[in-house]
Amino acid sequence: MTVRSGSIMSIKNTQPVPMALTRKTIASQVLLAGWRPQRDGVSHTVIANWPHRHGYYTSHHDLYHPLLLAETIRQALALLSHTAYGIPLDHRLGWESFDTSLVPAALHTHAHPSAVHLMITHTEVSRRRLGSARLAAQVMATRDGEPLGIARVRYTAHPPSIYNRLRGDHADALAATARALPLGPALDASVRGEQTSLDNAVLTPLGEPHRWQLRVNVANRTFFDHPHDHIPGLVFLEAAAQAAHVLSGARRTLATNFDARFAHYVELDSPCWLEATPPQRRTPGVVSTRLTGRQNDSEVFSIGVVASEHT
């Protein structure tokens, strides 16, 4: 990432990215460097610089964390929703679904930051009478000119009046963060694996196979660089990746595919229970499972994950 003195360096022939439009408040967490519209009128290129070193995203032994692409896409869609589609900055964005597939060989880190290009085409932008919007986007990502991955995302934008009505007593981010449950114990290091540090561990053991409680560390600045009124979707993707790793029994794993559906906001002040299906190995060295989250007797998300196993 090209971040110097808290600002992102400009790239030729692109428009700059104000930090506020990425929905991040800590400069070191901003990945985007510029953007430009394509001539077809519906597609945009967003350029990101991936850092050589990062406490979370480069934790996978000379491989970028697979969720670095997910966060890059999240920031890019926030940017385009405001710049290309005129959604006001005070609207609240939320994922309905997130499907992605990565090229594992493209995740190897180098001795220098890497340029990532996202070609984003919005296939749906529907606006509702009271100001909400529903959007769908397809993403093709390259890194240093080579294929990196693809994604399909459906997301919504709600004005404050509607969002506050939807969220009720949980709408205040500062109050919700202050009410977050105490941090539970993490899985033992020998179980969660050396690729997951204690700060990034999101599974609390329950003493039952395939079941955990979601462990939410609001002090983790990758997941929570500012107060949230609910748990961000990136935490659930990380939970699915960690669950696949635990179930695999491998020394190291790398999540390469996510198929995620988000049904409800997940609150910080109530436990979220996780259950994974038994691991499947239809291909040697590749494990898959589906992680379901439940809170207050309702299913709140479901994520299928595929991970490659490494010795």
Side-chain angles (χ1 to χ4, degrees):
M1 181 169 54
T2 311
V3 177
R4 298 179 183 177
S5 302
S7 63
I8 301 176
M9 296 181 66
S10 62
I11 293 179
K12 188 177 181 180
N13 299 324
T14 66
Q15 299 184 49
V17 180
M19 186 167 67
L21 300 189
T22 68
R23 301 295 182 107
K24 304 300 285 187
T25 61
I26 298 176
S28 62
Q29 300 295 336
V30 176
L31 302 167
L32 306 187
W35 71 282
R36 57 175 175 255
Q38 296 298 307
R39 293 180 179 178
D40 62 7
V42 296
S43 301
H44 300 82
T45 296
V46 178
I47 301 169
N49 286 325
W50 280 9
H52 171 54
R53 295 289 183 194
H54 188 282
Y56 175 70
Y57 292 122
T58 59
S59 61
H60 276 49
H61 299 276
D62 299 323
L63 291 168
Y64 281 116
H65 195 299
L67 293 192
L68 180 55
L69 180 58
E71 173 58 18
T72 305
I73 291 171
R74 188 206 62 76
Q75 292 185 23
L77 294 181
L79 166 72
L80 294 180
S81 72
H82 302 311
T83 55
Y85 297 105
I87 291 174
L89 191 57
D90 65 353
H91 282 40
R92 303 297 294 272
L93 306 180
W95 283 349
E96 289 187 339
S97 65
F98 180 86
D99 303 330
T100 187
S101 177
L102 296 109
V103 179
L107 293 175
H108 285 278
T109 57
H110 298 158
H112 50 79
S114 294
V116 170
H117 286 64
L118 305 180
M119 177 67 75
I120 301 177
T121 302
H122 275 81
T123 58
E124 178 185 340
V125 181
S126 60
R127 304 178 190 273
R128 299 175 182 177
R129 183 173 59 86
L130 297 179
S132 292
R134 193 164 186 257
L135 305 96
Q138 295 181 349
V139 184
M140 295 195 322
T142 59
R143 177 189 170 202
D144 297 330
E146 297 296 326
L148 172 61
I150 58 174
R152 296 185 302 274
V153 190
R154 300 191 73 89
Y155 63 108
T156 58
H158 294 302
S161 59
I162 292 179
Y163 187 82
N164 291 341
R165 187 163 69 246
L166 288 172
R167 300 293 292 128
D169 293 340
H170 289 91
D172 187 305
L174 285 172
T177 300
R179 293 196 305 266
L181 295 177
L183 193 61
L187 295 175
D188 186 84
S190 63
V191 176
R192 69 174 188 265
E194 56 188 14
Q195 66 193 35
T196 301
S197 70
L198 180 61
D199 286 343
N200 297 329
V202 296
L203 303 180
T204 287
L206 296 176
E208 302 176 52
H210 314 301
R211 293 194 70 243
W212 307 271
Q213 181 178 342
L214 187 66
R215 182 177 187 266
V216 182
N217 182 5
V218 296
N220 184 309
R221 289 298 171 254
T222 300
F223 299 142
F224 295 88
D225 91 316
H226 60 278
H228 285 64
D229 66 279
H230 61 276
I231 302 172
L234 196 69
V235 176
F236 311 136
L237 296 177
E238 176 64 7
Q242 291 185 22
H245 174 79
V246 171
L247 295 177
S248 76
R251 184 167 177 262
R252 290 188 289 132
T253 58
L254 182 72
T256 57
N257 298 72
F258 292 97
D259 169 14
R261 299 294 179 269
F262 306 98
H264 297 284
Y265 296 104
V266 184
E267 312 300 352
L268 288 155
D269 58 0
S270 181
C272 180
W273 309 107
L274 309 176
E275 184 168 355
T277 58
Q280 301 290 321
R281 286 182 175 82
R282 295 185 175 90
T283 302
V286 177
V287 64
S288 63
T289 186
R290 176 164 288 276
L291 185 72
T292 300
R294 297 186 66 84
Q295 187 175 72
N296 299 323
D297 297 323
S298 295
E299 181 177 310
V300 289
F301 69 83
S302 177
I303 302 174
V305 58
V306 177
S308 57
E309 301 173 314
H310 302 269
T311 58

